[in-house]
Amino acid sequence: MIQEAIQYPALIKYLKGFSNYSWVHYCDGRKVLLAKSLVFFEKQLSGFLRVHKTALVNPHYIADFQAPPGHKMAGSVSLRDGETLPVSRRRWSLIIDPLLVTMLPLSFPANGTPGSANPSFSEPACIEKKQPSLASRRMWVVMADELKGSLVQQLMGEKWSQWGLKLFDTGNGLQKVLSGTGEADMPAVIVLDGGQPGSMLTLQTLKNSSRFRFIPTILLSSAGNYDQAQQGYASGANSVIVYPTDLARFIQVLEKLFRYWLSVASAPQGGNGRVAPV
């Protein structure tokens, strides 16, 4: 249990400590009591914010915050699921800067116009992490589930921060942005969530395009959906990956998938280091 918490921090919303024990609150609703102090987890989970002597929070699950309203009064952070945790006034000045960095990524709706700092997954939107990287080091992901999308962001930030990431909630959103993208800014890899309606049509559209068909495209398929896996390969997917419903195993599968495509495989490239058009 302790090893799982340390190995897969993206699954943790926050930890509450008392004495030499900690309650670990997972994003799937689980609540596990572990015989380790909050100080122990604070040392192990880099990037988590110690908002209170009894609370350690994963900033990726914070949706909003409230500054201390007055002297000797506590502030608060609100999580995506509506939970609220106190922020002690003494810790406020220590967490506000890293909190703002986490909560204010650049975001663009499908038409490419700058929008809200916290995009809604109800509309086609993408989140791009600006990194000093090679032109071809970009991965675009369609992920309809907001929680899984957040896990993708955290995994990329922890393991492959040198890669730029764009996250879309629909295949149509990806296609709209892709159609207006110049050759130098093309993604090196595209990942499609098979659970998103229209993902197969997006795959077919990409693979039937003389401009986009050489971009490696991976289809994520839910367990037991054998017809979709066969259809994915028939439509030109470079890989079809079956992902489990268990979030810990989902992270494991993603990590292996990304390690291969981002660290081992070579994407088709032209003479200028771009994805080669036909």
Side-chain angles (χ1 to χ4, degrees):
M1 289 289 188
I2 295 174
Q3 187 60 35
E4 178 188 351
I6 296 172
Q7 189 172 0
Y8 304 110
L11 300 177
I12 300 173
K13 289 193 303 181
Y14 66 93
L15 302 93
K16 293 278 284 187
F18 68 97
S19 187
N20 291 321
Y21 294 84
S22 296
W23 281 105
V24 182
H25 294 253
Y26 287 95
C27 58
D28 59 3
R30 287 182 296 146
K31 180 180 175 183
V32 179
L33 181 64
L34 299 179
K36 289 290 184 180
S37 69
L38 210 57
V39 172
F40 169 82
F41 284 110
E42 185 176 13
K43 294 178 180 178
Q44 298 293 325
L45 302 174
S46 61
F48 277 50
L49 301 178
R50 187 72 177 268
V51 297
H52 193 272
K53 65 179 181 180
T54 63
L56 184 65
V57 183
N58 185 339
H60 293 282
Y61 290 99
I62 296 177
D64 200 0
F65 58 84
Q66 176 65 52
H71 185 58
K72 295 185 178 181
M73 299 180 70
S76 64
V77 291
S78 299
L79 306 186
R80 294 181 182 182
D81 60 4
E83 284 190 82
T84 300
L85 299 173
V87 179
S88 65
R89 61 183 180 84
R90 292 183 178 180
R91 295 181 184 272
W92 179 257
S93 61
L94 300 176
I95 72 161
I96 184 60
D97 285 344
L99 182 58
L100 287 173
V101 169
T102 302
M103 293 184 63
L104 298 177
L106 292 176
S107 64
F108 304 88
N111 60 11
T113 304
S116 165
N118 294 298
S120 168
F121 275 75
S122 62
E123 299 178 357
C126 62
I127 302 171
E128 181 174 11
K129 296 183 69 175
K130 296 291 185 178
Q131 300 287 349
S133 58
L134 298 177
S136 61
R137 288 191 171 184
R138 295 181 175 88
M139 183 171 71
W140 291 13
V141 178
V142 174
M143 188 64 66
D145 185 278
E146 183 175 2
L147 174 57
K148 288 186 172 68
S150 177
L151 295 177
V152 169
Q153 285 183 275
Q154 292 186 60
L155 180 62
M156 287 292 293
E158 292 168 4
K159 303 289 186 179
W160 292 278
S161 60
Q162 74 274 22
W163 279 73
L165 171 67
K166 280 189 178 181
L167 187 64
F168 301 81
D169 68 336
T170 69
N172 284 337
L174 180 144
Q175 290 182 64
K176 288 179 181 178
V177 176
L178 190 61
S179 63
T181 299
E183 299 301 328
D185 297 319
M186 287 287 180
V189 182
I190 292 175
V191 180
L192 301 175
D193 177 10
Q196 193 273 324
S199 59
M200 198 61 64
L201 180 59
T202 298
L203 173 62
Q204 293 168 354
T205 300
L206 294 176
K207 291 305 179 180
N208 287 330
S209 167
S210 60
R211 187 179 178 213
F212 305 134
R213 68 188 183 197
F214 283 103
I215 302 175
T217 304
I218 297 94
L219 179 68
L220 300 180
S221 179
S222 58
N225 197 342
Y226 302 110
D227 290 341
Q228 186 180 64
Q230 290 183 338
Q231 188 179 358
Y233 280 120
S235 299
N238 296 86
S239 288
V240 177
I241 305 297
V242 176
Y243 63 84
T245 56
D246 178 77
L247 289 179
R249 292 189 60 208
F250 175 75
I251 288 291
Q252 289 178 322
V253 170
L254 278 188
E255 186 170 351
K256 291 178 180 178
L257 171 67
F258 291 173
R259 180 176 292 113
Y260 174 76
W261 284 103
L262 304 185
S263 302
V264 179
S266 296
Q269 295 183 342
N272 295 322
R274 305 171 184 174
V275 176
V278 175

